[in-house]
Amino acid sequence: MSSTGAGSPHPAPRPRLARDPGTGPSARRRPLAAPRARRSNALHPGAWWLWALGLGTAASRTTNPLLLALLIGVAGYVVAARRTSAPWARSYGAFVKLGLAVIGIRLLFAVFLGSPIPGTHLLVTLPEVPLPEWAQGVRIGGRVTVEGLVFALYDGLKLAALLICVGAANALASPARLLKSLPGALYEAGVAVVVAMTFAPHLIADVRRLRAARRLRGRPDKGLRGLAQVGLPVLEGALERSVALAAAMDARGYGRTAEVPAAVRRVTAVLTLGGLVGVCAGTYGLLTADGARYGLPVLLAGVAAALGGLWLGGRRSVRTRYRPDVWGVRAWLVAASGVAVAAVMIRAGSYDPSALAPGVVPLAAPTLPLWPAAGVLLGLLPACVAPAPPLAETPSKEAS
C-alpha cells in the first residue's frame, strides 16, 4: 500500500503555502515590537524640562502681557501637538486652571489689600478698616484704582505663565524616565520629587474616574455634595497607593548604599555644597547689573564643582540602569530652543527694559516688541522636531 494512502499511519506532510505577510501568527506577533520602537523614538525627558525652564526664565524676565500670552500660547501648542494620553500628561489642564486662580487671587489682593502703585483713575472706594500704628504700610479697603488693578493683572499673569511652563514639562516628560536619568547621587531625592510630581496627575485621574462613575449611576457629581462624595474615595485610593508604593520600595531594597572611604565622602560633600553655593552666587550675579562681571565665571565654576561632587557621590549608589534614554539630536534641538528663548529675553531686557516691563503710570496700552516676540516663537521648534506620539496614544484618539 502506498505511503500516501488514506490508511497510512504516517501521512505525507502537506506542502507549505506562501503565507501572506499581513496575516498569520507572525502578523499577530508583529505589534509586540511596537513598544520597543516607540520607546526608542521617545525624546529624553530632560530635554523637555530644559525647554520648559527656558520658557519659564523668559516669563520671569517680563511683565508685558502680550509676551506672556505669547509664551503661554507657545507652551500650549507644543503640549497639544506632542503629549500622549498617559495619566501624567493630563495634568496640563490643572496647571492652566491653577494659573487662572493665581490671577484671580492676585486681583482680589489688589482690591481688598490695596496696591503700592499710585493711580489717578479711581474705580471704587471701599470702606477702610483702621489698623494700629505697628501695621503701617498695610491697609484693608480704601481706594481701588485702574492702575493698581492693571499692575496686579500683569504680576499675576507672570506667575500664571511660570506655572503653565512647569505644567507643560509635567505633561510632556515622563516622571519615571526622568528619575532613571538622574545621577546616582540624586536618586533618593529624585524619588521623593517624582512621587510628589505624580501625586497630582493620579489624583486628577481618580477624580475624573469617580465622577464618571457617579454620572453613570445617576448621582450628582458637581457642587459641594458631589465633591464630598468623591473626596473620600479619592483619599482612600491615595492612601492605598502610598502603602503599596512603600511596600514595593522596601521589597526592592530602597535606600541601600555601598561603602566608600571617608575621604571620598568629605570631598563629595565639599564639592557639592561649594558647587551649589557657586551656582547661587553666579546666578545672582547674572541677574543683577553690578555682578555681571563675576557672575558667569562663578556660575561655570559652581556647575563644574557640583558635577564633580555628583559624579563622586554616584559611587555610593548600587543600582543599575536598564536601557537608559539616549540624548540625541532631537533632544539637543528641543533643549536649545528653550535656552534660546531665555537668552533672547535676557538680552532684550538689557538694551530695552521698558519694552519688557510696560509702565502703568501713566496708563497706556502695552506694545509687542518685535525681537523678543520672534525669540519666543523659537519655542515652537519642539512641535516640529520632537517625535510625534503614536496615534493610539494621542488624547484625540482616546476621546474618540
Side-chain angles (χ1 to χ4, degrees):
M1 186 171 57
S2 173
S3 62
T4 59
S8 174
H10 303 288
R14 296 179 181 178
R16 294 184 178 180
L17 301 177
R19 183 171 293 171
D20 186 3
T23 60
S26 61
R28 289 195 298 270
R29 289 194 300 266
R30 187 174 295 110
L32 295 178
R36 183 175 182 180
R38 185 185 307 159
R39 187 185 181 283
S40 62
N41 194 35
L43 193 69
H44 197 285
W48 286 123
W49 272 102
L50 288 177
W51 168 80
L53 290 177
L55 295 185
T57 303
S60 66
R61 305 290 296 186
T62 179
T63 56
N64 191 318
L66 300 180
L67 290 176
L68 292 174
L70 189 60
L71 283 168
I72 294 174
V74 167
Y77 180 80
V78 174
V79 169
R82 289 297 179 264
R83 72 169 174 175
T84 63
S85 60
W88 40 264
R90 303 173 187 174
S91 60
Y92 181 74
F95 279 92
V96 173
K97 295 177 182 178
L98 182 61
L100 295 176
V102 166
I103 295 176
I105 293 172
R106 185 65 181 87
L107 290 175
L108 287 178
F109 281 177
V111 170
F112 293 103
L113 300 181
S115 176
I117 302 299
T120 57
H121 297 78
L122 182 63
L123 187 62
V124 66
T125 302
L126 300 177
E128 188 171 355
V129 178
L131 298 176
E133 296 181 358
W134 55 266
Q136 292 182 358
V138 180
R139 68 178 179 88
I140 301 177
R143 300 173 69 252
V144 179
T145 61
V146 178
E147 289 85 353
L149 289 181
V150 171
F151 177 78
L153 177 63
Y154 291 174
D155 196 18
L157 188 60
K158 180 171 71 172
L159 296 177
L162 289 172
L163 287 174
I164 290 174
C165 292
V166 174
N170 277 276
L172 294 171
S174 172
R177 291 175 51 217
L178 180 63
L179 174 63
K180 188 173 62 175
S181 302
L182 289 177
L186 298 179
Y187 181 71
E188 296 181 1
V191 169
V193 173
V194 168
V195 170
M197 287 170 54
T198 55
F199 175 76
H202 284 296
L203 194 67
I204 295 171
D206 289 344
V207 171
R208 290 180 177 178
R209 177 176 54 83
L210 291 171
R211 290 183 62 185
R214 291 185 62 83
R215 284 196 300 268
L216 292 175
R217 293 181 174 91
R219 299 176 182 178
D221 63 318
K222 297 181 180 179
L224 295 178
R225 183 179 178 183
L227 182 62
Q229 295 293 332
V230 171
L232 185 59
V234 169
L235 179 60
E236 182 181 358
L239 291 176
E240 291 179 355
R241 190 162 47 245
S242 62
V243 171
L245 177 62
M249 293 170 65
D250 183 65
R252 289 168 173 81
Y254 174 75
R256 183 181 56 184
T257 57
E259 293 293 336
V260 294
V264 176
R265 291 200 301 268
R266 296 190 186 96
V267 173
T268 300
V270 171
L271 288 178
T272 304
L273 293 179
L276 293 178
V277 172
V279 169
C280 294
T283 304
Y284 178 79
L286 290 177
L287 295 177
T288 58
D290 297 334
R293 294 175 297 177
Y294 67 85
L296 185 59
V298 173
L299 178 61
L300 294 178
V303 169
L307 291 178
L310 293 178
W311 179 76
L312 288 177
R315 298 176 61 182
R316 300 179 65 245
S317 178
V318 293
R319 69 188 185 94
T320 57
R321 294 183 180 181
Y322 175 68
R323 295 172 61 187
D325 293 310
V326 180
W327 189 283
V329 178
R330 292 180 175 181
W332 282 112
L333 292 176
V334 171
S337 65
V339 174
V341 173
V344 170
M345 197 66 68
I346 292 174
R347 177 59 181 169
S350 62
Y351 71 83
D352 192 8
S354 61
L356 301 186
V360 295
V361 180
L363 193 62
T367 58
L368 182 64
L370 180 60
W371 289 111
V376 171
L377 293 179
L378 293 175
L380 292 173
L381 185 62
C384 302
V385 301
L391 294 178
E393 292 189 357
T394 54
S396 59
K397 184 71 175 179
E398 182 192 13
S400 61

